[in-house]
Amino acid sequence: MGVSFDKIDGSLWLNFDIQPSANPTPDKERDAKLENLGFGRVFTDHMAIVRYDQAHGWHGARIEARSNFPLDPAHAVLHYAQEIFEGLKAYKRDDGGVNLFRPDANARRFRDSADRMAMAQLPEQVFIEAIEQLVKIDRNWIPGGEGSLYLRPFMIASEVFLGVKPSSEYIFSVIASPVGSYFKGGPAPVSIWVSENYTRAAVGGTGGVKCGGNYAASLRAQAEAIERGCDQVVFLDALERRYVEELGGMNVFFVFDDGSLSTPPLGTILPGITRDSIITLARDAGRVVREEPYTIDQWRADAASGKLKEAFACGTAAVISPIGKVCSNHGDFTINGGQAGEVAMGLRKQLVDIQYGRAEDKHGWIKKVF
């Protein structure tokens, strides 16, 4: 079957050429792999591929056996780091069907990231179709229970050249990895290290973009956190080194004694889809949610006075992770006695139940693949 192109509502739509793997993983081997899942170590049989060049635009959309890319040493991505990615999950419902959670939001953020990185913008419909087709062909890899299929759409600059300019060629791909529950035995509060030596992003930079460079820049600080016996690192603003921004790969929320929530404002931080969903669910429940700056000194003072009742981080992988302890060169402090809080855990359950189809989806967030 060849690749064809249609226009739907004036937008480009690519029909994917489906090329099943000639050597899929045997059922017994696949089931054995699904028995003991970590995160990002096991991969499904297939991947989605779409290519771009200036002469043809987006073309060659297909689902094929997962394999290595031919890689020229002069590929632009290797030298100038023109690349972006996304992360989302497919969830198995109790009736055996499969849900995607807000893939349209991932598609929009992917286009925004491409624009900031001077890359070709993939039509949102193509982004979603690539994910759906991959989920359909690899549906047997989706774990049951609290497991899910983690989906990693990404795009790299593939032009062969050594000049400093935007690439004229790109590869968009989606790979998939079955993952188990992020927390064994339920979410456990994490400890975080306040980074004073390193910053993640500055105004005008790429802090709001999901590109690998942001994460590479966080790794040394994360290593420092682990050296200090902490689970995660939290970054302060690059200008004054006072305002809390986000963790190495997660947004952060604060819960106060009046029931209100606060989270750092967008600009230099990633516009997390889990973050946005939590804001919506909290406001649905009548809670006040403020998007405003919050200093590390205020965090410490509010934890000591009891004004701050909870703090938690959020993201696709963990959904919500309570913060129990904050460590720094200026001393440590605990939050809520180092225990998970009711607000965080209530929001987590509400969100997870929507994702797995166990609760009503009032906002149209769920897209059923089948």
Side-chain angles (χ1 to χ4, degrees):
M1 150 168 59
V3 180
S4 62
F5 304 84
D6 296 315
K7 289 281 187 177
I8 298 179
D9 296 329
S11 300
L12 178 66
W13 188 278
L14 276 66
N15 294 321
F16 279 72
D17 184 2
I18 310 299
Q19 302 174 4
S21 171
N23 297 292
T25 304
D27 293 351
K28 187 175 181 179
E29 182 180 338
R30 183 189 64 238
D31 292 344
K33 290 182 177 182
L34 293 176
E35 282 295 317
N36 187 26
L37 292 169
F39 188 89
R41 295 288 186 180
V42 175
F43 296 94
T44 66
D45 291 318
H46 298 87
M47 64 184 184
I49 291 281
V50 190
R51 295 181 181 274
Y52 175 90
D53 62 54
Q54 292 180 342
H56 304 95
W58 290 104
H59 64 281
R62 64 185 183 272
I63 302 295
E64 62 181 28
R66 185 177 180 275
S67 62
N68 295 336
F69 289 161
L71 197 61
D72 190 289
H75 265 160
V77 65
L78 300 177
H79 302 273
Y80 308 114
Q82 255 195 311
E83 63 80 42
I84 55 175
F85 68 97
E86 276 296 324
L88 67 160
K89 291 179 177 178
Y91 306 86
K92 184 178 289 185
R93 302 191 305 271
D94 290 341
D95 63 7
V98 174
N99 290 342
L100 296 174
F101 182 71
R102 304 189 67 180
D104 54 332
N106 290 97
R108 287 192 297 272
R109 190 169 66 182
F110 198 75
R111 283 180 62 87
D112 291 342
S113 292
D115 180 61
R116 175 62 182 85
M117 301 297 285
M119 303 173 76
Q121 295 184 30
L122 182 77
E124 293 175 19
Q125 299 94 327
V126 177
F127 179 97
I128 294 172
E129 183 69 11
I131 289 168
E132 288 197 43
Q133 291 296 340
L134 183 59
V135 169
K136 287 176 181 177
I137 199 169
D138 280 338
R139 64 181 298 175
N140 290 333
W141 283 93
I142 305 175
E146 291 297 307
S148 57
L149 186 65
Y150 183 81
L151 298 154
R152 172 52 61 87
F154 64 97
M155 181 162 60
I156 63 172
S158 57
E159 184 179 356
V160 177
F161 79 108
L162 294 178
V164 182
K165 70 175 184 64
S167 176
S168 63
E169 299 176 13
Y170 298 94
I171 298 172
F172 167 73
S173 182
V174 187
I175 56 176
S177 174
V179 296
S181 175
Y182 195 83
F183 298 103
K184 301 294 184 183
V190 297
S191 58
I192 61 174
W193 173 256
V194 180
S195 178
E196 298 177 358
N197 297 322
Y198 306 101
T199 60
R200 179 184 171 276
V203 175
T206 60
V209 174
K210 204 163 178 67
C211 64
N214 292 343
Y215 295 82
S218 75
L219 295 179
R220 185 64 195 91
Q222 176 64 32
E224 185 179 68
I226 293 172
E227 289 165 4
R228 299 300 196 281
C230 294
D231 302 303
Q232 290 280 344
V233 63
V234 64
F235 290 98
L236 305 178
D237 73 289
L239 182 61
E240 298 184 51
R241 307 290 180 94
R242 296 175 57 217
Y243 296 101
V244 179
E245 295 211 317
E246 64 178 316
L247 276 66
M250 304 174 78
N251 296 121
V252 62
F253 278 84
F254 308 98
V255 183
F256 298 94
D257 55 5
D258 61 358
S260 68
L261 282 76
S262 173
T263 189
L266 298 179
T268 56
I269 69 173
L270 186 72
I273 293 164
T274 306
R275 173 189 183 275
D276 181 72
S277 303
I278 289 169
I279 290 172
T280 299
L281 292 177
R283 287 175 175 165
D284 283 350
R287 294 186 182 275
V288 173
V289 183
R290 298 177 298 275
E291 298 179 69
E292 62 183 10
Y294 190 62
T295 68
I296 183 62
D297 290 339
Q298 193 65 52
W299 190 356
R300 184 188 301 274
D302 289 345
S305 70
K307 180 179 179 180
L308 180 74
K309 294 299 183 183
E310 302 177 36
F312 61 87
C314 65
T316 298
V319 187
I320 285 178
S321 180
I323 297 172
K325 185 178 182 180
V326 180
C327 306
S328 76
N329 287 322
H330 302 286
D332 308 343
F333 61 92
T334 59
I335 303 160
N336 192 36
Q339 302 300 309
E342 292 182 3
V343 174
M345 292 300 93
L347 286 167
R348 185 182 190 278
K349 183 179 187 306
Q350 190 177 0
L351 189 54
V352 169
D353 283 348
I354 293 171
Q355 291 169 337
Y356 283 93
R358 299 191 291 258
E360 182 183 359
D361 173 24
K362 297 179 180 179
H363 298 282
W365 288 339
I366 296 300
K367 184 174 181 59
K368 293 183 177 181
V369 180
F370 43 78

